[in-house]
Amino acid sequence: MEALVVPRLPFRKAGDRLKRFIPQRAVFEPAALEYPLGKELHAHFRELGIEIQKTPSHNRVTGIPGKTPKEKYVQAKQSLVIGVRRTLKFSSCKPSAHFQLPLATSCPGFCEYCYLQTTLGPKPVLRVYVNIEEVLEQAQKYIDERAPEITIFEGAATSDPIPVEYLTGSLRKSIEFFAGTELGRFRFVTKFGDVDSLLDIDHKGHTEIRYSLNTQTVIGQYEKGTAPLAERIEAARKTSLAKYPLGFLIAPIIAYDNWKEEYSQVIEDLASSLADDSKPSFELITHRFTKKAKNNIEQVFPDSTLPMDEEERQYKYGQFGYGKWVYPKETMAEIRDFFEEKLAQTFPQSEIKYLV
Ligand code: SF4
């Protein structure tokens, strides 16, 4: 079968150190052009000679090419919609936060197991919003309603917000906003390393930056279009020096040949890179899949080698009626023992928030 051709992320301009996402087409909602950021992005993409389209109305995107599921998927991930966030009712985000903070939707990465494949449908176009100020005003209302309790917002529930940050500055504005609130807290997770624009912010410890890590074997095979491990660890190092609260998601943990040696190496490299006083938290998620996710993956990545043989798994019923295929009990116990021991040795001050 024909292999998925993942587009290379081109350099934004000569001299840029990191590869940055540049869409193949920029699609503007008419109302977005009434905002300063919308106008700025329009001028920016025109200058770069990128195809510009306009949506006929809010939230209607047509004109994304592609016939097969794979083509539609790839083309959608190279299309950036610049829109206005109209729905200012935030979704809940249990258990990691109280609310999702809507900063962006979708992501230019091609992780084969990405959960957004199930939630965003066959054409996961990227979206950014030009009215972040209105989104943050709404966040303040949620904070006020819950006072005197702390309210936590998650900025990566529907996207990886880092690849589009250089275009919107939305994370920066959010981190500054939460630094100024007494009772608001912010967190997000990323598989990218382009965090330099966030390092000088006086964040007041109100934002936790988490990095999603894996072995380079898993990243190379299943996380195309994202940053290599070394770049994520370097970004984490800078984040620790900037004194942000720091966390790591090791996910999905895949028990392939040699997994223990390679995950050990990841943890050791991390320990030797971070600032001496950092006490990161860890969230550990073993690989699992639902029937629906497996079907989607087989359509979009027909050559995928992701281990999704039900015979080698155990079925676990979920609370909403649909279950998932997880590793059998013995493998889960081996994974648990390995990570608990390794992290206790390397990061004795750190907390494992959960391992599922
Ligand atoms: S980086 Fe995250 S959001 Fe982007 S494709 Fe990978 S898993 Fe999905």
Side-chain angles (χ1 to χ4, degrees):
M1 278 194 222
E2 195 194 340
L4 179 87
V5 180
V6 174
R8 283 169 58 86
L9 302 184
F11 284 87
R12 184 184 179 202
K13 57 183 186 297
D16 268 2
R17 195 179 55 78
L18 291 159
K19 287 174 189 168
R20 282 179 160 162
F21 165 69
I22 300 182
Q24 220 163 71
R25 63 194 64 78
V27 186
F28 285 81
E29 286 179 4
L33 291 167
E34 290 161 21
Y35 288 77
L37 179 59
K39 290 191 182 112
E40 222 177 276
L41 289 174
H42 191 270
H44 173 68
F45 290 129
R46 200 175 44 198
E47 201 185 317
L48 288 181
I50 283 171
E51 177 190 337
I52 292 183
Q53 296 181 10
K54 279 198 190 149
T55 61
S57 62
H58 172 67
N59 237 346
R60 259 195 76 206
V61 182
T62 54
I64 309 290
K67 290 199 184 75
T68 64
K70 191 167 80 179
E71 282 169 7
K72 286 181 193 161
Y73 184 83
V74 171
Q75 289 294 333
K77 287 222 160 197
Q78 294 174 77
S79 307
L80 178 69
V81 175
I82 295 96
V84 177
R85 179 73 192 191
R86 296 274 165 96
T87 318
L88 290 176
K89 187 172 181 309
F90 296 177
S91 302
S92 79
C93 197
K94 298 247 163 70
S96 79
H98 296 101
F99 297 102
Q100 301 180 8
L101 188 73
L103 297 179
T105 306
S106 193
C107 146
F110 286 86
C111 302
E112 295 185 10
Y113 52 74
C114 179
Y115 68 104
L116 296 178
Q117 283 187 59
T118 319
T119 54
L120 294 182
K123 284 190 181 182
V125 287
L126 277 83
R127 270 175 203 280
V128 292
Y129 306 110
V130 292
N131 57 332
I132 179 69
E133 289 76 11
E134 286 163 20
V135 171
L136 293 174
E137 271 169 32
Q138 182 62 30
Q140 185 62 57
K141 288 186 192 153
Y142 282 112
I143 294 170
D144 293 344
E145 278 170 19
R146 285 181 37 85
E149 302 291 325
I150 294 276
T151 303
I152 306 171
F153 295 81
E154 166 64 58
T158 55
S159 70
D160 189 312
I162 286 289
V164 288
E165 174 63 10
Y166 86 96
L167 294 168
T168 64
S170 293
L171 278 176
R172 187 178 176 93
K173 287 177 196 150
S174 302
I175 294 169
E176 287 170 346
F177 166 79
F178 285 103
T181 66
E182 197 193 332
L183 298 171
R185 297 291 181 274
F186 182 45
R187 63 201 311 251
F188 66 90
V189 60
T190 183
K191 286 187 169 71
F192 292 84
D194 192 5
V195 295
D196 286 7
S197 67
L198 310 178
L199 298 176
D200 66 340
I201 303 173
D202 182 12
H203 52 77
K204 303 268 191 280
H206 289 187
T207 292
E208 181 190 30
I209 302 185
R210 286 129 73 224
Y211 291 89
S212 171
L213 300 181
N214 221 312
T215 65
Q216 189 52 48
T217 302
V218 172
I219 293 173
Q221 278 184 27
Y222 305 122
E223 299 184 356
K224 304 254 166 45
T226 64
L229 176 64
E231 197 174 304
R232 299 184 206 177
I233 292 184
E234 170 59 8
R237 184 186 73 79
K238 292 190 268 190
T239 307
S240 71
L241 291 171
K243 303 291 174 222
Y244 274 97
L246 182 62
F248 296 100
L249 243 106
I250 304 185
I253 296 166
I254 300 185
Y256 59 93
D257 291 348
N258 214 30
W259 65 272
K260 284 186 188 165
E261 286 74 9
E262 295 194 21
Y263 281 106
S264 277
Q265 195 60 52
V266 172
I267 293 167
E268 281 163 26
D269 289 351
L270 194 59
S272 62
S273 304
L274 299 185
D276 291 343
D277 58 347
S278 55
K279 287 186 209 145
S281 63
F282 288 89
E283 296 161 77
L284 308 173
I285 305 173
T286 56
H287 180 246
R288 65 254 337 276
F289 57 90
T290 61
K291 190 170 187 295
K292 190 171 175 201
K294 182 176 175 178
N295 288 344
N296 286 343
I297 293 166
E298 285 173 344
Q299 294 236 322
V300 179
F301 301 95
D303 299 321
S304 178
T305 58
L306 260 180
M308 293 189 295
D309 184 351
E310 288 87 348
E311 307 252 299
E312 293 174 7
R313 299 296 180 116
Q314 188 173 312
Y315 194 71
K316 190 173 167 194
Y317 287 94
Q319 56 175 324
F320 303 113
Y322 60 88
K324 45 191 112 180
W325 295 98
V326 300
Y327 280 118
K329 261 205 314 259
E330 305 71 43
T331 315
M332 286 297 287
E334 209 183 336
I335 292 174
R336 179 175 293 280
D337 290 350
F338 166 78
F339 277 98
E340 284 180 352
E341 192 180 320
K342 187 77 203 170
L343 289 171
Q345 278 167 7
T346 359
F347 288 97
Q349 312 286 336
S350 285
E351 175 203 3
I352 298 180
K353 289 195 165 167
Y354 57 84
L355 188 156
V356 290

